[in-house]
């Protein structure tokens, strides 16, 4: 992996988190399966920022580890955006989670194993789709 990997991870995590939070806010659907969005988009951006052909043509364990870390970080940053920006209507009053719960309590009460597994699965799907398509294009040249 390149030396400026932390910048690429940070950019991809933020973009994946923004897409995830926007999807949850605009669809009003907050479920573990939405973690697929966070994992998929963050890994797509991460892989587009890195050169896929500089590595060997076999999916490596370290590549999957990076995918898992990027996906889970995007989910957690997405939860941070939801904590501050997702409105809840209670008795005709618009409230935000930050108004009545702390962020660690918000994470504990809303993020579960299913969320994390769905996010990692979305990242692995993006990794395999992009890695396979890049290797097919590279081999056809």
């Amino acid at each position: 992996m390149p030396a400026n990997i932390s910048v690429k991870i940070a950019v991809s995590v933020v973009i994946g988190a923004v897409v995830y939070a926007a999807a949850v806010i605009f669809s009003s659907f907050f479920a573990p399966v939405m973690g697929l969005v966070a994992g998929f988009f963050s890994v797509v951006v991460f892989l587009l920022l890195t050169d896929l052909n500089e590595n060997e043509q076999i999916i490596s364990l370290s590549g999957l580890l990076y995918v898992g870390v990027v996906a889970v970080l995007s989910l957690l940053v997405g939860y941070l955006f939801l904590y501050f920006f997702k409105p809840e209507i209670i008795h005709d009053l618009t409230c935000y989670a930050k108004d009545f719960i702390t962020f660690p309590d918000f994470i504990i009460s809303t993020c579960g194993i299913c969320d994390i597994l769905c996010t990692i699965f979305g990242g692995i799907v993006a990794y395999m789709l992009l890695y396979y398509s890049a290797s097919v294009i590279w081999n056809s040249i």
Side-chain angles (χ1 to χ4, degrees):
M1 292 285 172
N4 57 357
I5 194 72
S6 59
V7 173
K8 293 177 182 182
I9 288 175
V11 168
S12 60
V13 163
V14 169
I15 290 174
V18 167
V19 171
Y20 167 70
V24 168
I25 290 171
F26 290 130
S27 69
S28 296
F29 185 65
F30 190 52
V33 80
M34 291 298 285
L36 288 168
V37 173
F40 187 84
F41 281 102
S42 63
V43 171
V44 164
V45 171
F46 177 68
L47 292 177
L48 290 177
L49 291 176
T50 57
D51 186 18
L52 293 175
N53 295 321
E54 71 186 13
N55 298 329
E56 55 195 43
Q57 293 295 325
I58 300 171
I59 296 176
S60 64
L61 185 61
S62 65
L64 290 176
L65 182 65
Y66 275 110
V67 164
V69 168
V70 168
V72 171
L73 286 176
S74 70
L75 179 71
L76 294 177
V77 173
Y79 270 90
L80 183 67
F81 289 144
L82 292 177
Y83 178 72
F84 285 106
F85 300 117
K86 185 178 185 309
E88 295 291 333
I89 299 174
I90 302 171
H91 298 293
D92 296 330
L93 296 172
T94 302
C95 301
Y96 297 92
K98 66 179 177 67
D99 295 335
F100 55 89
I101 192 171
T102 63
F103 184 66
D105 290 337
F106 179 73
I107 291 289
I108 290 170
S109 65
T110 57
C111 186
I113 298 295
C114 291
D115 297 299
I116 294 170
L117 291 178
C118 283
T119 304
I120 292 171
F121 179 71
I124 290 173
V125 166
Y127 183 67
M128 291 198 180
L129 284 174
L130 286 176
Y131 193 87
Y132 177 73
S133 63
S135 66
V136 166
I137 292 170
W138 182 255
N139 290 335
S140 66
I141 295 177

